[in-house]
Amino acid sequence: MTPDWPFSAAPTTETFITRDVLAGAPILSAFHEYFEDGWQFHGETDGSTEDAHLVALGETLSQDTTLREIAGLPSGWRATRAHAGGQWLWSKNHPYPTFPDDGYFLRVPPEGFPHLPGPADCRSLEPGDRAKLMFAFLAEDAIPEDSVCERMWVQITMTDSEQEDYIGSLANHPDQHRTIRFDDELTFNAEHIIAIQRKASS
């Protein structure tokens, strides 16, 4: 990548754009995906699957250089504007904890993380099951440190199979950090899970 390339994703990264944008309409909404460093750019249409086209990020930036203004949009956030050249408004677009709001965020296990459960197991948990997550007590863009990360169990109380999301309550007392406490509720995704514990059969 060239020194002046503004995005963390490479110029060759395939991005989702709507048909009207492909035809030259202005981009009015942008989405930085939470779990992958991917992007979506919409015009006035709703961005349905039938309306989707894949275009390299570099080509999209060439079509609209004002996208440089939102290159730093955090993962899981969206930016919208009323018209071409208008001011971008940034907003959180996911239900998970963030450091500014909650004092911690959930780390996604990196590639090669040892002993991860299989994706099918992570997506099939039920109320009463437990999932172990990595709680990071620092800003999302900070360099990860083991001393500010705790691995704790969360007991699932509700599931959303369509989004692969879960709602649960903390089943541990944190060792070092008090921004979250035993029995506090949070939302997380199957992608956050590093270990699972099924409830005992009756």
Side-chain angles (χ1 to χ4, degrees), residues 6-7 60-70 81 88:
F7 290 89
T60 308
L61 180 61
S62 296
Q63 179 178 331
D64 186 347
T65 58
T66 66
L67 296 181
R68 287 181 172 271
E69 299 168 8
I70 58 168
R81 60 184 177 181
W88 291 103

Side-chain angles (χ1 to χ4, degrees), residues 16-19 46-53:
F16 172 110
I17 69 170
T18 52
R19 184 176 306 174
D46 61 3
S48 62
T49 302
E50 295 77 13
D51 196 38
H53 294 269

Side-chain angles (χ1 to χ4, degrees), residues 108-144:
V108 177
E111 185 176 351
F113 192 90
H115 311 303
L116 286 177
D121 289 327
C122 292
R123 294 168 183 155
S124 61
L125 299 180
E126 299 178 349
D129 294 337
R130 290 185 173 188
K132 183 173 279 189
L133 314 175
M134 293 191 291
F135 293 75
F137 298 89
L138 76 171
E140 284 86 341
D141 59 354
I143 298 174

